[in-house]
Amino acid sequence: MQELQQRILQDGDILPGGVVRVERFLNHRVDTALACHIGQAFADAFRNDQIDCILTVEASGIIFAMTTALAMGELPVIIAKKGQRRNLGDDVYTADVFSFTHQTTSTIHVGKRCLEKGQRVLLIDDFLANGCALLGLIDIVKKSGATLEGAGIVIEKGFQHGGQEIRDMGIRLESLAIVDSMTDDSLTFRD
């Protein structure tokens, strides 16, 4: 997605350790027009699939799950919550997820009444590096008996193994911007 790549180059920052900071337009201060265009791009990519719901993990993925759900005809969005919550109870699917950005492991939870057997699920998230969040969501979909139709990622770090691992599992993965390489002061995108 050319518009997204331009914004990353124009307004993004490259930090040491392979971190792309997009806080000025994607995940802290959100350019709502761009967020809607991202949602439409995912809706276009998966328009021939019969998606029943969208699953994401809190927090930054929620924005793009919502804009995608609206572009696909107001589908429900299911949010995998991080950490134990009293209001979720014990009737949940769980998976442990390591965050590349935060360098911590969290247990994510999805209520069993929210994600049901037979539903056709699209995963949406903001970043894909090592694939841990996506693998956790995939595990939850499998545990629920739902059907995984594919995954949409806003920014994939193609130089890390997560995207290839997901594709090697036979899962359809659509990434809108794939960073092919990074140095401490520049990055390049995959065509």
Side-chain angles (χ1 to χ4, degrees):
M1 182 177 175
Q2 192 67 31
E3 176 185 14
L4 176 60
Q5 291 180 3
Q6 283 303 114
R7 286 302 295 277
I8 294 167
L9 292 173
Q10 175 186 318
D11 296 325
D13 296 307
I14 301 166
L15 303 179
V19 175
V20 180
R21 187 168 62 188
V22 290
E23 69 181 2
R24 289 184 282 170
F25 61 98
L26 273 189
N27 62 9
H28 194 61
R29 176 184 174 161
V30 178
D31 178 327
T32 56
L34 178 60
C36 288
H37 297 165
I38 288 168
Q40 187 61 56
F42 286 136
D44 292 344
F46 291 96
R47 81 172 138 245
N48 295 325
D49 297 274
Q50 295 181 346
I51 307 296
D52 295 317
C53 62
I54 295 175
L55 176 61
T56 191
V57 64
E58 63 179 4
S60 297
I62 296 170
I63 297 160
F64 309 107
M66 291 293 294
T67 59
T68 303
L70 291 169
M72 294 183 93
E74 301 179 8
L75 295 176
V77 172
I78 302 165
I79 302 164
K81 303 287 189 172
K82 294 178 183 174
Q84 187 62 35
R85 307 272 171 90
R86 285 187 348 198
N87 62 343
L88 281 177
D90 295 329
D91 200 21
V92 295
Y93 302 109
T94 63
D96 289 331
V97 172
F98 178 76
S99 168
F100 175 80
T101 304
H102 301 289
Q103 295 292 301
T104 59
T105 299
S106 300
T107 300
I108 58 173
H109 303 79
V110 172
K112 290 183 179 180
R113 296 183 337 167
C114 297
L115 183 61
E116 300 171 355
K117 183 177 182 176
Q119 287 181 309
R120 293 181 299 262
V121 180
L122 174 62
L123 306 178
I124 298 288
D125 206 2
D126 60 338
F127 271 93
L128 172 60
N130 294 319
C132 297
L134 215 49
L135 290 169
L137 292 173
I138 291 165
D139 185 44
I140 285 176
V141 171
K142 287 179 183 177
K143 289 174 181 174
S144 74
T147 302
L148 179 59
E149 295 294 332
I153 297 295
V154 179
I155 301 171
E156 177 183 340
K157 295 178 183 175
F159 56 90
Q160 291 181 278
H161 65 84
Q164 190 60 51
E165 184 176 342
I166 300 299
R167 290 178 180 94
D168 288 347
M169 294 170 66
I171 295 170
R172 179 176 170 203
L173 177 60
E174 298 287 338
S175 297
L176 299 183
I178 301 177
V179 177
D180 202 35
S181 64
M182 284 180 68
T183 65
D184 285 343
D185 59 359
S186 69
L187 56 80
T188 59
F189 294 102
R190 191 173 297 169
D191 293 330

